[in-house]
Amino acid sequence: DAMVIQNPRYQVTQFGKPVTLSCSQTLNHNVMYWYQQKSSQAPKLLFHYYDKDFNNEADTPDNFQSRRPNTSFCFLDIRSPGLGDAAMYLCATSTTQGTEAFFGQGTRLTVV
Amino acid sequence: AQSVTQPDIHITVSEGASLELRCNYSYGATPYLFWYVQSPGQGLQLLLKYFSGDTLVQGIKGFEAEFKRSQSSFNLRKPSVHWSDAAEYFCAVYGGATNKLIFGTGTLLAVQP
């Protein structure tokens, strides 16, 4: 059974049109991560939550926002997607500091 | 700051040959280290992890890795590669002080018959 679920698997959005990607987990983990992965590159950490504490990476563009309304769900909002934001977006969860991270299948975002 | 270096961008091995993928990390304290594998268009699957204790760790699919503090390395090995092992492999380090899981740039493994 899938433990970290990302929806949708594929998302096409128009340039400048806000888009939201979702992630849900059945593991009750308190840490959730969002990564951006471009083709042939490593996953790049955008931000993470430790419970409700939000931690933004210094180089994450302001165009990217996140919400975590409860333990199970986390959302990635891209306010005005540009062509450079086309990528795979990966959500991951872990229990406490330092334990294994479980990844979803990712959402492939295309900007047209 | 924590960081991970995977010096080999692309490696090709013959099926049945042995494999070693290199990983070097930078972190001020004892790190938590991971190897993940990613097939095209898929998420990341954990192969193995090191937290403490025995420096040689066993993982899934016949992989193992050895933590060497003196060399700041955590190299991944497999004695006999199968065609299904062709994928991208990422080394990652978790820093307890930062709560961050940071990935290396990855090594793309190709397996030839």
Side-chain angles (χ1 to χ4, degrees), chain A residues 24-82:
Chain A
S24 64
Q25 56 144 330
T26 60
L27 299 164
N28 203 35
H29 287 174
N30 55 356
V31 184
M32 294 188 78
Y33 304 89
W34 277 107
Y35 290 87
Q36 178 193 63
Q37 187 180 25
K38 296 189 176 181
S39 182
S40 302
Q41 296 184 22
K44 178 181 178 299
L45 183 62
L46 295 174
F47 21 63
H48 72 280
Y49 282 91
Y50 186 77
D51 291 325
K52 286 191 174 296
D53 292 336
F54 175 73
N55 299 273
N56 197 39
E57 291 300 291
D59 57 353
T60 297
D62 292 339
N63 198 25
F64 290 82
Q65 304 286 321
S66 184
R67 296 170 283 134
R68 190 179 186 185
N70 53 53
T71 299
S72 300
F73 287 89
C74 196
F75 300 97
L76 170 62
D77 302 308
I78 308 177
R79 292 191 296 185
S80 181

Short mmCIF file of all heavy atoms in Angstrom, two decimals, chain A residues 24-82:
data_model
loop_
_atom_site.label_atom_id
_atom_site.label_comp_id
_atom_site.label_asym_id
_atom_site.label_seq_id
_atom_site.Cartn_x
_atom_site.Cartn_y
_atom_site.Cartn_z
N SER A 24 0.02 13.42 0.49
CA SER A 24 -0.61 12.90 1.70
C SER A 24 0.18 11.69 2.16
O SER A 24 0.83 11.00 1.38
CB SER A 24 -2.07 12.52 1.44
OG SER A 24 -2.15 11.46 0.51
N GLN A 25 0.09 11.44 3.45
CA GLN A 25 0.83 10.31 4.02
C GLN A 25 -0.05 9.56 5.02
O GLN A 25 -0.88 10.16 5.70
CB GLN A 25 2.09 10.82 4.72
CG GLN A 25 1.83 11.86 5.80
CD GLN A 25 2.76 11.74 6.97
OE1 GLN A 25 3.23 10.66 7.31
NE2 GLN A 25 3.02 12.87 7.63
N THR A 26 0.18 8.27 5.07
CA THR A 26 -0.54 7.42 6.01
C THR A 26 0.37 6.94 7.13
O THR A 26 0.01 6.04 7.89
CB THR A 26 -1.14 6.20 5.29
OG1 THR A 26 -0.07 5.45 4.69
CG2 THR A 26 -2.12 6.63 4.22
N LEU A 27 1.56 7.51 7.22
CA LEU A 27 2.57 7.04 8.16
C LEU A 27 2.57 7.81 9.48
O LEU A 27 3.28 7.42 10.40
CB LEU A 27 3.96 7.17 7.51
CG LEU A 27 4.16 6.34 6.24
CD1 LEU A 27 5.38 6.81 5.47
CD2 LEU A 27 4.28 4.87 6.59
N ASN A 28 1.83 8.90 9.53
CA ASN A 28 1.80 9.74 10.72
C ASN A 28 3.18 10.30 11.07
O ASN A 28 3.52 10.49 12.25
CB ASN A 28 1.22 8.98 11.92
CG ASN A 28 0.66 9.92 12.96
OD1 ASN A 28 0.10 10.97 12.64
ND2 ASN A 28 0.80 9.57 14.23
N HIS A 29 3.99 10.56 10.04
CA HIS A 29 5.31 11.12 10.27
C HIS A 29 5.22 12.61 10.52
O HIS A 29 4.38 13.30 9.93
CB HIS A 29 6.20 10.87 9.05
CG HIS A 29 6.63 9.45 8.92
ND1 HIS A 29 7.34 9.00 7.83
CD2 HIS A 29 6.47 8.38 9.74
CE1 HIS A 29 7.61 7.71 7.99
NE2 HIS A 29 7.09 7.31 9.13
N ASN A 30 6.10 13.10 11.37
CA ASN A 30 6.01 14.52 11.71
C ASN A 30 6.88 15.41 10.82
O ASN A 30 6.73 16.63 10.84
CB ASN A 30 6.34 14.76 13.19
CG ASN A 30 7.69 14.21 13.58
OD1 ASN A 30 8.37 13.58 12.79
ND2 ASN A 30 8.08 14.46 14.82
N VAL A 31 7.74 14.83 10.03
CA VAL A 31 8.55 15.63 9.13
C VAL A 31 8.10 15.38 7.69
O VAL A 31 7.92 14.24 7.28
CB VAL A 31 10.06 15.30 9.25
CG1 VAL A 31 10.88 16.22 8.36
CG2 VAL A 31 10.52 15.39 10.70
N MET A 32 7.90 16.48 6.95
CA MET A 32 7.56 16.37 5.53
C MET A 32 8.46 17.29 4.73
O MET A 32 8.74 18.43 5.17
CB MET A 32 6.09 16.70 5.28
CG MET A 32 5.14 15.68 5.90
SD MET A 32 3.41 15.89 5.43
CE MET A 32 3.40 15.17 3.78
N TYR A 33 8.91 16.81 3.60
CA TYR A 33 9.84 17.53 2.74
C TYR A 33 9.22 17.74 1.35
O TYR A 33 8.49 16.89 0.86
CB TYR A 33 11.13 16.74 2.51
CG TYR A 33 11.90 16.32 3.73
CD1 TYR A 33 11.64 15.12 4.37
CD2 TYR A 33 12.95 17.10 4.21
CE1 TYR A 33 12.39 14.71 5.46
CE2 TYR A 33 13.70 16.70 5.30
CZ TYR A 33 13.42 15.50 5.93
OH TYR A 33 14.16 15.10 7.00
N TRP A 34 9.60 18.84 0.72
CA TRP A 34 9.34 19.03 -0.71
C TRP A 34 10.68 19.25 -1.41
O TRP A 34 11.48 20.09 -0.99
CB TRP A 34 8.45 20.24 -0.97
CG TRP A 34 6.99 19.97 -0.83
CD1 TRP A 34 6.17 20.39 0.19
CD2 TRP A 34 6.15 19.27 -1.75
NE1 TRP A 34 4.89 19.97 -0.04
CE2 TRP A 34 4.83 19.29 -1.22
CE3 TRP A 34 6.35 18.62 -2.96
CZ2 TRP A 34 3.76 18.67 -1.85
CZ3 TRP A 34 5.28 18.01 -3.58
CH2 TRP A 34 4.01 18.04 -3.03
N TYR A 35 10.87 18.45 -2.49
CA TYR A 35 12.07 18.56 -3.30
C TYR A 35 11.66 18.88 -4.73
O TYR A 35 10.62 18.44 -5.22
CB TYR A 35 12.84 17.25 -3.32
CG TYR A 35 13.52 16.89 -2.03
CD1 TYR A 35 12.84 16.18 -1.04
CD2 TYR A 35 14.85 17.23 -1.79
CE1 TYR A 35 13.46 15.84 0.15
CE2 TYR A 35 15.48 16.89 -0.60
CZ TYR A 35 14.78 16.19 0.35
OH TYR A 35 15.39 15.85 1.53
N GLN A 36 12.54 19.61 -5.41
CA GLN A 36 12.40 19.83 -6.84
C GLN A 36 13.55 19.07 -7.52
O GLN A 36 14.71 19.21 -7.11
CB GLN A 36 12.53 21.32 -7.17
CG GLN A 36 12.44 21.64 -8.65
CD GLN A 36 12.88 23.08 -8.94
OE1 GLN A 36 14.02 23.44 -8.71
NE2 GLN A 36 11.96 23.88 -9.45
N GLN A 37 13.19 18.29 -8.53
CA GLN A 37 14.22 17.55 -9.25
C GLN A 37 14.09 17.81 -10.74
O GLN A 37 13.10 17.41 -11.36
CB GLN A 37 14.14 16.05 -8.96
CG GLN A 37 15.31 15.26 -9.58
CD GLN A 37 15.25 13.79 -9.29
OE1 GLN A 37 14.18 13.23 -9.06
NE2 GLN A 37 16.40 13.13 -9.30
N LYS A 38 15.07 18.45 -11.31
CA LYS A 38 15.10 18.67 -12.75
C LYS A 38 15.84 17.52 -13.41
O LYS A 38 16.55 16.76 -12.76
CB LYS A 38 15.73 20.02 -13.06
CG LYS A 38 14.90 21.18 -12.50
CD LYS A 38 15.38 22.52 -12.97
CE LYS A 38 14.46 23.61 -12.45
NZ LYS A 38 14.87 24.96 -12.89
N SER A 39 15.66 17.43 -14.70
CA SER A 39 16.18 16.29 -15.44
C SER A 39 17.67 16.12 -15.21
O SER A 39 18.45 17.07 -15.32
CB SER A 39 15.90 16.49 -16.93
OG SER A 39 16.36 15.39 -17.67
N SER A 40 18.04 14.88 -14.87
CA SER A 40 19.45 14.50 -14.68
C SER A 40 20.12 15.27 -13.54
O SER A 40 21.34 15.43 -13.55
CB SER A 40 20.24 14.68 -15.97
OG SER A 40 19.69 13.92 -17.01
N GLN A 41 19.34 15.76 -12.61
CA GLN A 41 19.91 16.46 -11.45
C GLN A 41 19.46 15.81 -10.16
O GLN A 41 18.53 15.00 -10.13
CB GLN A 41 19.51 17.93 -11.47
CG GLN A 41 20.05 18.70 -12.66
CD GLN A 41 19.70 20.18 -12.57
OE1 GLN A 41 19.43 20.72 -11.51
NE2 GLN A 41 19.73 20.85 -13.72
N ALA A 42 20.12 16.18 -9.09
CA ALA A 42 19.75 15.66 -7.78
C ALA A 42 18.50 16.36 -7.26
O ALA A 42 18.20 17.50 -7.66
CB ALA A 42 20.90 15.89 -6.79
N PRO A 43 17.74 15.71 -6.41
CA PRO A 43 16.63 16.41 -5.75
C PRO A 43 17.16 17.59 -4.94
O PRO A 43 18.13 17.44 -4.19
CB PRO A 43 16.04 15.33 -4.83
CG PRO A 43 16.48 14.03 -5.42
CD PRO A 43 17.82 14.30 -6.02
N LYS A 44 16.50 18.72 -5.10
CA LYS A 44 16.90 19.93 -4.39
C LYS A 44 15.84 20.26 -3.36
O LYS A 44 14.67 20.43 -3.70
CB LYS A 44 17.07 21.09 -5.38
CG LYS A 44 17.43 22.42 -4.74
CD LYS A 44 17.54 23.51 -5.79
CE LYS A 44 17.86 24.85 -5.15
NZ LYS A 44 16.82 25.29 -4.21
N LEU A 45 16.24 20.38 -2.13
CA LEU A 45 15.30 20.65 -1.05
C LEU A 45 14.76 22.07 -1.18
O LEU A 45 15.53 23.04 -1.26
CB LEU A 45 15.99 20.47 0.30
CG LEU A 45 15.12 20.64 1.54
CD1 LEU A 45 14.00 19.60 1.58
CD2 LEU A 45 15.96 20.56 2.81
N LEU A 46 13.43 22.18 -1.22
CA LEU A 46 12.77 23.48 -1.26
C LEU A 46 12.44 23.97 0.14
O LEU A 46 12.74 25.10 0.51
CB LEU A 46 11.49 23.39 -2.08
CG LEU A 46 11.66 23.08 -3.57
CD1 LEU A 46 10.28 22.87 -4.21
CD2 LEU A 46 12.41 24.19 -4.28
N PHE A 47 11.77 23.10 0.90
CA PHE A 47 11.43 23.40 2.29
C PHE A 47 11.03 22.12 3.00
O PHE A 47 10.81 21.09 2.36
CB PHE A 47 10.31 24.45 2.45
CG PHE A 47 9.40 24.63 1.27
CD1 PHE A 47 8.60 23.59 0.80
CD2 PHE A 47 9.34 25.85 0.62
CE1 PHE A 47 7.77 23.76 -0.27
CE2 PHE A 47 8.50 26.03 -0.46
CZ PHE A 47 7.72 24.99 -0.91
N HIS A 48 10.94 22.23 4.32
CA HIS A 48 10.44 21.09 5.06
C HIS A 48 9.70 21.55 6.30
O HIS A 48 9.89 22.68 6.78
CB HIS A 48 11.57 20.11 5.43
CG HIS A 48 12.50 20.60 6.49
ND1 HIS A 48 13.52 21.49 6.26
CD2 HIS A 48 12.56 20.31 7.82
CE1 HIS A 48 14.19 21.72 7.39
NE2 HIS A 48 13.62 21.01 8.35
N TYR A 49 8.83 20.69 6.78
CA TYR A 49 8.09 20.92 8.01
C TYR A 49 8.56 19.93 9.07
O TYR A 49 8.74 18.75 8.78
CB TYR A 49 6.59 20.69 7.80
CG TYR A 49 5.85 21.79 7.12
CD1 TYR A 49 5.71 21.81 5.74
CD2 TYR A 49 5.27 22.82 7.86
CE1 TYR A 49 5.01 22.83 5.12
CE2 TYR A 49 4.56 23.84 7.24
CZ TYR A 49 4.44 23.83 5.87
OH TYR A 49 3.74 24.83 5.24
N TYR A 50 8.74 20.45 10.26
CA TYR A 50 8.89 19.59 11.42
C TYR A 50 7.67 19.89 12.28
O TYR A 50 7.62 20.91 12.96
CB TYR A 50 10.19 19.86 12.17
CG TYR A 50 10.45 18.90 13.28
CD1 TYR A 50 10.90 17.62 13.03
CD2 TYR A 50 10.20 19.27 14.61
CE1 TYR A 50 11.14 16.72 14.06
CE2 TYR A 50 10.44 18.38 15.64
CZ TYR A 50 10.90 17.11 15.36
OH TYR A 50 11.12 16.22 16.38
N ASP A 51 6.70 18.99 12.23
CA ASP A 51 5.35 19.26 12.75
C ASP A 51 4.84 20.48 12.02
O ASP A 51 4.78 20.50 10.78
CB ASP A 51 5.37 19.42 14.26
CG ASP A 51 5.67 18.12 14.97
OD1 ASP A 51 5.24 17.06 14.46
OD2 ASP A 51 6.35 18.14 16.02
N LYS A 52 4.47 21.53 12.73
CA LYS A 52 3.97 22.72 12.05
C LYS A 52 5.06 23.76 11.79
O LYS A 52 4.78 24.82 11.21
CB LYS A 52 2.85 23.34 12.90
CG LYS A 52 1.55 22.55 12.86
CD LYS A 52 0.42 23.34 13.48
CE LYS A 52 -0.92 22.62 13.32
NZ LYS A 52 -1.28 22.51 11.90
N ASP A 53 6.24 23.47 12.23
CA ASP A 53 7.34 24.42 12.02
C ASP A 53 7.82 24.34 10.57
O ASP A 53 8.29 23.30 10.11
CB ASP A 53 8.50 24.10 12.96
CG ASP A 53 8.16 24.37 14.39
OD1 ASP A 53 7.26 25.20 14.65
OD2 ASP A 53 8.78 23.75 15.28
N PHE A 54 7.71 25.47 9.91
CA PHE A 54 8.07 25.55 8.49
C PHE A 54 9.51 26.04 8.35
O PHE A 54 9.90 27.00 9.00
CB PHE A 54 7.11 26.51 7.79
CG PHE A 54 7.44 26.76 6.35
CD1 PHE A 54 7.22 25.77 5.40
CD2 PHE A 54 7.97 27.98 5.94
CE1 PHE A 54 7.51 26.00 4.07
CE2 PHE A 54 8.26 28.21 4.61
CZ PHE A 54 8.03 27.23 3.67
N ASN A 55 10.27 25.35 7.49
CA ASN A 55 11.66 25.72 7.27
C ASN A 55 11.91 25.87 5.78
O ASN A 55 11.86 24.90 5.03
CB ASN A 55 12.58 24.64 7.83
CG ASN A 55 12.40 24.46 9.31
OD1 ASN A 55 13.02 25.13 10.12
ND2 ASN A 55 11.50 23.56 9.70
N ASN A 56 12.17 27.10 5.39
CA ASN A 56 12.36 27.43 3.99
C ASN A 56 13.85 27.46 3.67
O ASN A 56 14.63 28.04 4.43
CB ASN A 56 11.73 28.80 3.73
CG ASN A 56 11.51 29.06 2.27
OD1 ASN A 56 11.14 28.17 1.54
ND2 ASN A 56 11.75 30.29 1.85
N GLU A 57 14.25 26.86 2.57
CA GLU A 57 15.64 26.97 2.16
C GLU A 57 15.91 28.39 1.68
O GLU A 57 15.04 29.03 1.07
CB GLU A 57 15.96 25.98 1.05
CG GLU A 57 15.95 24.53 1.51
CD GLU A 57 16.97 24.28 2.58
OE1 GLU A 57 18.19 24.34 2.29
OE2 GLU A 57 16.55 24.04 3.74
N ALA A 58 17.10 28.86 1.92
CA ALA A 58 17.43 30.26 1.61
C ALA A 58 17.29 30.57 0.12
O ALA A 58 16.95 31.69 -0.26
CB ALA A 58 18.84 30.58 2.09
N ASP A 59 17.54 29.56 -0.72
CA ASP A 59 17.52 29.82 -2.15
C ASP A 59 16.22 29.37 -2.81
O ASP A 59 16.13 29.33 -4.04
CB ASP A 59 18.73 29.16 -2.83
CG ASP A 59 18.77 27.66 -2.58
OD1 ASP A 59 17.96 27.16 -1.79
OD2 ASP A 59 19.66 27.00 -3.18
N THR A 60 15.22 29.06 -2.03
CA THR A 60 13.91 28.72 -2.61
C THR A 60 13.22 30.00 -3.04
O THR A 60 13.04 30.92 -2.23
CB THR A 60 13.05 27.97 -1.58
OG1 THR A 60 13.69 26.74 -1.24
CG2 THR A 60 11.66 27.67 -2.15
N PRO A 61 12.81 30.09 -4.30
CA PRO A 61 12.18 31.33 -4.77
C PRO A 61 10.87 31.62 -4.03
O PRO A 61 10.16 30.70 -3.61
CB PRO A 61 11.91 31.03 -6.25
CG PRO A 61 12.85 29.93 -6.60
CD PRO A 61 12.99 29.10 -5.37
N ASP A 62 10.56 32.90 -3.92
CA ASP A 62 9.32 33.32 -3.26
C ASP A 62 8.08 32.82 -3.97
O ASP A 62 6.99 32.78 -3.39
CB ASP A 62 9.27 34.85 -3.18
CG ASP A 62 10.33 35.40 -2.25
OD1 ASP A 62 10.81 34.62 -1.39
OD2 ASP A 62 10.68 36.59 -2.38
N ASN A 63 8.25 32.47 -5.20
CA ASN A 63 7.17 31.93 -6.03
C ASN A 63 6.64 30.60 -5.48
O ASN A 63 5.54 30.17 -5.81
CB ASN A 63 7.75 31.71 -7.43
CG ASN A 63 6.71 31.58 -8.48
OD1 ASN A 63 5.60 32.07 -8.34
ND2 ASN A 63 7.06 30.88 -9.56
N PHE A 64 7.42 29.96 -4.65
CA PHE A 64 7.05 28.66 -4.08
C PHE A 64 6.59 28.86 -2.64
O PHE A 64 7.30 29.47 -1.83
CB PHE A 64 8.23 27.69 -4.10
CG PHE A 64 8.63 27.22 -5.46
CD1 PHE A 64 9.44 28.01 -6.27
CD2 PHE A 64 8.18 26.01 -5.95
CE1 PHE A 64 9.79 27.59 -7.54
CE2 PHE A 64 8.55 25.58 -7.21
CZ PHE A 64 9.36 26.37 -8.00
N GLN A 65 5.42 28.32 -2.34
CA GLN A 65 4.88 28.39 -1.01
C GLN A 65 4.42 26.98 -0.61
O GLN A 65 4.26 26.10 -1.46
CB GLN A 65 3.67 29.34 -0.96
CG GLN A 65 3.96 30.74 -1.45
CD GLN A 65 4.77 31.55 -0.46
OE1 GLN A 65 4.56 31.45 0.74
NE2 GLN A 65 5.72 32.33 -0.97
N SER A 66 4.21 26.80 0.68
CA SER A 66 3.75 25.50 1.14
C SER A 66 2.76 25.66 2.28
O SER A 66 2.80 26.65 3.01
CB SER A 66 4.93 24.64 1.60
OG SER A 66 4.51 23.35 1.96
N ARG A 67 1.90 24.70 2.38
CA ARG A 67 0.92 24.64 3.48
C ARG A 67 0.88 23.24 4.04
O ARG A 67 0.96 22.27 3.28
CB ARG A 67 -0.49 25.00 2.96
CG ARG A 67 -0.64 26.40 2.43
CD ARG A 67 -1.99 26.55 1.73
NE ARG A 67 -2.00 25.94 0.40
CZ ARG A 67 -2.99 25.16 -0.03
NH1 ARG A 67 -4.02 24.87 0.74
NH2 ARG A 67 -2.94 24.67 -1.26
N ARG A 68 0.70 23.16 5.32
CA ARG A 68 0.52 21.85 5.96
C ARG A 68 -0.64 21.99 6.96
O ARG A 68 -0.44 22.28 8.13
CB ARG A 68 1.78 21.38 6.67
CG ARG A 68 1.66 19.92 7.12
CD ARG A 68 2.91 19.42 7.82
NE ARG A 68 2.79 17.99 8.11
CZ ARG A 68 3.69 17.30 8.80
NH1 ARG A 68 4.78 17.90 9.26
NH2 ARG A 68 3.51 16.02 9.02
N PRO A 69 -1.86 21.74 6.49
CA PRO A 69 -3.02 21.93 7.36
C PRO A 69 -3.12 20.92 8.48
O PRO A 69 -3.74 21.23 9.52
CB PRO A 69 -4.20 21.80 6.38
CG PRO A 69 -3.66 21.00 5.24
CD PRO A 69 -2.22 21.34 5.13
N ASN A 70 -2.57 19.75 8.29
CA ASN A 70 -2.57 18.73 9.34
C ASN A 70 -1.40 17.79 9.10
O ASN A 70 -0.65 17.96 8.13
CB ASN A 70 -3.91 17.98 9.38
CG ASN A 70 -4.28 17.41 8.04
OD1 ASN A 70 -3.50 16.72 7.42
ND2 ASN A 70 -5.49 17.73 7.57
N THR A 71 -1.26 16.79 9.96
CA THR A 71 -0.12 15.88 9.86
C THR A 71 -0.08 15.14 8.54
O THR A 71 0.98 14.87 7.99
CB THR A 71 -0.16 14.87 11.02
OG1 THR A 71 -0.09 15.57 12.25
CG2 THR A 71 0.99 13.88 10.94
N SER A 72 -1.25 14.83 8.02
CA SER A 72 -1.32 13.94 6.86
C SER A 72 -1.09 14.62 5.52
O SER A 72 -0.72 13.96 4.56
CB SER A 72 -2.68 13.24 6.83
OG SER A 72 -2.87 12.47 8.00
N PHE A 73 -1.36 15.90 5.45
CA PHE A 73 -1.34 16.57 4.15
C PHE A 73 -0.34 17.71 4.10
O PHE A 73 -0.15 18.44 5.08
CB PHE A 73 -2.74 17.12 3.82
CG PHE A 73 -3.74 16.07 3.46
CD1 PHE A 73 -4.50 15.47 4.46
CD2 PHE A 73 -3.91 15.67 2.14
CE1 PHE A 73 -5.41 14.48 4.14
CE2 PHE A 73 -4.83 14.69 1.82
CZ PHE A 73 -5.58 14.08 2.82
N CYS A 74 0.23 17.86 2.90
CA CYS A 74 1.13 18.99 2.66
C CYS A 74 0.96 19.40 1.20
O CYS A 74 0.82 18.54 0.33
CB CYS A 74 2.58 18.58 2.94
SG CYS A 74 3.71 19.95 3.10
N PHE A 75 0.94 20.72 0.98
CA PHE A 75 0.72 21.23 -0.36
C PHE A 75 1.88 22.12 -0.79
O PHE A 75 2.47 22.82 0.03
CB PHE A 75 -0.58 22.04 -0.42
CG PHE A 75 -1.79 21.25 -0.04
CD1 PHE A 75 -2.31 21.31 1.25
CD2 PHE A 75 -2.42 20.44 -0.97
CE1 PHE A 75 -3.43 20.57 1.61
CE2 PHE A 75 -3.54 19.70 -0.62
CZ PHE A 75 -4.04 19.77 0.67
N LEU A 76 2.15 22.04 -2.07
CA LEU A 76 3.14 22.94 -2.69
C LEU A 76 2.38 23.84 -3.65
O LEU A 76 1.74 23.36 -4.58
CB LEU A 76 4.20 22.12 -3.43
CG LEU A 76 5.17 22.89 -4.31
CD1 LEU A 76 5.99 23.88 -3.49
CD2 LEU A 76 6.11 21.93 -5.04
N ASP A 77 2.45 25.14 -3.42
CA ASP A 77 1.81 26.12 -4.28
C ASP A 77 2.87 26.86 -5.06
O ASP A 77 3.81 27.42 -4.49
CB ASP A 77 1.00 27.13 -3.43
CG ASP A 77 -0.06 26.48 -2.57
OD1 ASP A 77 -0.86 25.71 -3.13
OD2 ASP A 77 -0.08 26.74 -1.34
N ILE A 78 2.67 26.90 -6.37
CA ILE A 78 3.54 27.71 -7.22
C ILE A 78 2.68 28.84 -7.75
O ILE A 78 1.74 28.62 -8.51
CB ILE A 78 4.16 26.88 -8.36
CG1 ILE A 78 4.83 25.62 -7.80
CG2 ILE A 78 5.18 27.72 -9.11
CD1 ILE A 78 5.40 24.70 -8.87
N ARG A 79 2.99 30.04 -7.31
CA ARG A 79 2.07 31.17 -7.54
C ARG A 79 2.04 31.60 -9.00
O ARG A 79 0.98 31.93 -9.53
CB ARG A 79 2.47 32.34 -6.66
CG ARG A 79 2.24 32.06 -5.18
CD ARG A 79 2.38 33.29 -4.34
NE ARG A 79 3.74 33.84 -4.38
CZ ARG A 79 4.14 34.86 -3.65
NH1 ARG A 79 3.30 35.46 -2.82
NH2 ARG A 79 5.37 35.30 -3.73
N SER A 80 3.17 31.61 -9.65
CA SER A 80 3.24 32.04 -11.05
C SER A 80 4.32 31.20 -11.74
O SER A 80 5.48 31.63 -11.85
CB SER A 80 3.58 33.53 -11.13
OG SER A 80 3.63 33.97 -12.46
N PRO A 81 3.93 30.02 -12.17
CA PRO A 81 4.94 29.10 -12.73
C PRO A 81 5.59 29.67 -13.98
O PRO A 81 4.91 30.22 -14.87
CB PRO A 81 4.13 27.85 -13.06
CG PRO A 81 2.87 27.97 -12.30
CD PRO A 81 2.60 29.42 -12.14
N GLY A 82 6.89 29.53 -14.01
CA GLY A 82 7.64 29.87 -15.21
C GLY A 82 8.14 28.60 -15.88
O GLY A 82 8.03 27.50 -15.33
#
